[in-house]
Amino acid sequence: MVVMSAPSTEPQAEHHAGFACFVGRPNAGKSTLTNALVGQKVAITSNRPQTTRHTVRGIVHREDAQLILVDTPGLHKPRTLLGERLNDVVRTTWAEVDVVGFCLPANEKLGPGDRFIAKELAGIKKTPKIAIVTKTDLVDSKTLAEQLIAVDQLGKDLGIEWAEIIPVSAVKDEQVGLVADLLIPLLPESPPLYPEGDLTDEPEQVMVAELIREAALEGVRDELPHSIAVVVEEMLPREGRPADKPLLDIHANVFIERSSQKGIVIGPKGKRLKDVGMKSRKHIEALLGTPVFLDLHVKVAKDWQRDPKQLRRLGF
């Protein structure tokens, strides 16, 4: 006698996977939120506006979902060719993702920059949008309540129907998990799009360059605005090392726009450049999981932000 087992009547748990992107004016907390969600440093963070130049994807893995975060540059009124290219990157990204999270800092009243972005967002009809009020650790509950009401009103004024409005502090890890909980149901049903364990699909060389640029910006925040670009020329394992003591040689160039900026980046007796090397090396070693020898050189690429040929050479 053959006994047939009845097919399981339990419904298979749905799996969602898709792309979400955080938008907002420069320095609205997008990169910090990406890093907090992914749990590892994948997007460059700096309190200088406009530090994210690449679309960095952070990947959040869950049993029932895979949320791929696309971190775009801040949308702004462009003054250079670089600025125009960055804005094009942003608009293209918005049209291609499954859900958009609009980041608005709790500690700053809504301004023309926020309205400029919200107007652009209103034009993208099909993509669901959630409003994320960031940096809640910097305000009291009354200010936060006023900001939440203002964000709700902004949506009404422009005909945007927020799928959710959520306050969050990435720095204090308050409601960060909830952001993922609210984004995931808005993604399509799909098997995972990336292997388990992947945190980003940025090439390592690009991420290394970003970490060096972040460290270089840190010391010169007020003196140099966005004149720093970094290109990793090569990353090679040091030959003749024993297998249990590998060393990775990284040669990178830090580009600035004018010779007069060279001294600022290098610092007296090379101290600042040395600090940049030490700081970024720590992050690079943590990222790659191997000891690193970092060789940095500062070079001038005259007015590179306005020159199409140089922009291409520097990866923009």
Side-chain angles (χ1 to χ4, degrees):
M1 183 172 114
V2 180
V3 178
M4 302 287 285
S5 60
S8 163
T9 51
E10 272 182 46
Q12 278 284 303
E14 284 174 5
H15 189 282
H16 291 257
F19 294 83
C21 82
F22 295 139
V23 305
R25 57 192 160 82
N27 199 24
K30 303 179 295 293
S31 296
T32 311
L33 183 54
T34 298
N35 292 336
L37 277 160
V38 177
Q40 188 185 343
K41 196 175 181 111
V42 292
I44 175 174
T45 54
S46 149
N47 55 21
R48 266 205 105 49
Q50 243 177 281
T51 45
T52 306
R53 296 236 178 96
H54 296 275
T55 302
V56 178
R57 294 180 173 83
I59 303 165
V60 181
H61 297 273
R62 291 198 173 180
E63 288 267 304
D64 60 341
Q66 193 178 70
L67 171 64
I68 298 134
L69 300 165
V70 184
D71 186 38
T72 57
L75 192 79
H76 59 291
K77 292 215 161 81
R79 286 191 295 275
T80 61
L81 181 61
L82 173 66
E84 281 172 38
R85 293 217 176 145
L86 293 181
N87 277 0
D88 290 343
V89 168
V90 178
R91 289 194 191 92
T92 312
T93 306
W94 292 3
E96 290 170 354
V97 295
D98 300 299
V99 54
V100 173
F102 183 18
C103 294
L104 304 115
N107 61 329
E108 294 171 39
K109 280 197 159 34
L110 298 188
D114 300 309
R115 287 194 172 77
F116 173 65
I117 293 168
K119 264 191 196 133
E120 294 268 341
L121 271 180
I124 298 167
K125 296 287 183 219
K126 285 185 184 152
T127 315
K129 302 158 196 76
I130 74 170
I132 303 167
V133 176
T134 58
K135 308 188 184 187
T136 56
D137 52 295
L138 300 179
V139 297
D140 57 27
S141 52
K142 180 174 176 287
T143 311
L144 176 58
E146 286 166 0
Q147 187 72 326
L148 293 169
I149 291 165
V151 170
D152 183 45
Q153 191 55 51
L154 176 68
K156 289 187 174 122
D157 293 347
L158 295 171
I160 300 173
E161 200 175 315
W162 303 120
E164 306 279 353
I165 300 176
I166 175 177
V168 64
S169 165
V171 171
K172 294 231 163 136
D173 197 18
E174 286 166 2
Q175 307 235 89
V176 171
L178 186 58
V179 173
D181 293 343
L182 296 175
L183 289 169
I184 284 167
L186 300 170
L187 303 177
E189 270 186 57
S190 157
L193 303 169
Y194 286 86
E196 181 74 54
D198 278 15
L199 293 176
T200 174
D201 73 349
E202 273 286 26
E204 283 177 344
Q205 225 153 312
V206 173
M207 293 180 72
V208 166
E210 288 288 82
L211 289 170
I212 295 168
R213 202 167 82 88
E214 178 177 24
L217 277 171
E218 219 162 275
V220 296
R221 260 196 215 339
D222 305 317
E223 296 156 277
L224 296 185
H226 310 302
S227 316
I228 294 178
V230 175
V231 175
V232 173
E233 295 297 335
E234 59 178 17
M235 285 169 51
L236 293 169
R238 175 84 55 96
E239 281 182 19
R241 297 281 293 193
D244 58 342
K245 287 195 176 163
L247 184 68
L248 188 67
D249 286 320
I250 298 179
H251 301 277
N253 291 325
V254 178
F255 287 97
I256 44 176
E257 292 197 291
R258 289 186 290 286
S259 322
S260 59
Q261 298 169 335
K262 219 169 175 174
I264 298 173
V265 176
I266 293 171
K269 296 188 177 164
K271 186 180 177 315
R272 185 170 274 156
L273 189 62
K274 210 171 172 175
D275 286 351
V276 169
M278 277 161 55
K279 260 191 197 127
S280 54
R281 199 184 74 233
K282 245 189 238 151
H283 288 307
I284 293 164
E285 290 182 336
L287 173 76
L288 303 177
T290 181
V292 160
F293 171 79
L294 182 58
D295 175 39
L296 288 181
H297 293 271
V298 179
K299 298 192 170 185
V300 179
K302 201 166 158 30
D303 292 331
W304 63 264
Q305 293 194 58
R306 293 168 196 280
D307 176 349
K309 231 173 37 220
Q310 304 223 52
L311 278 173
R312 270 200 304 280
R313 190 165 69 92
L314 298 174
F316 300 109

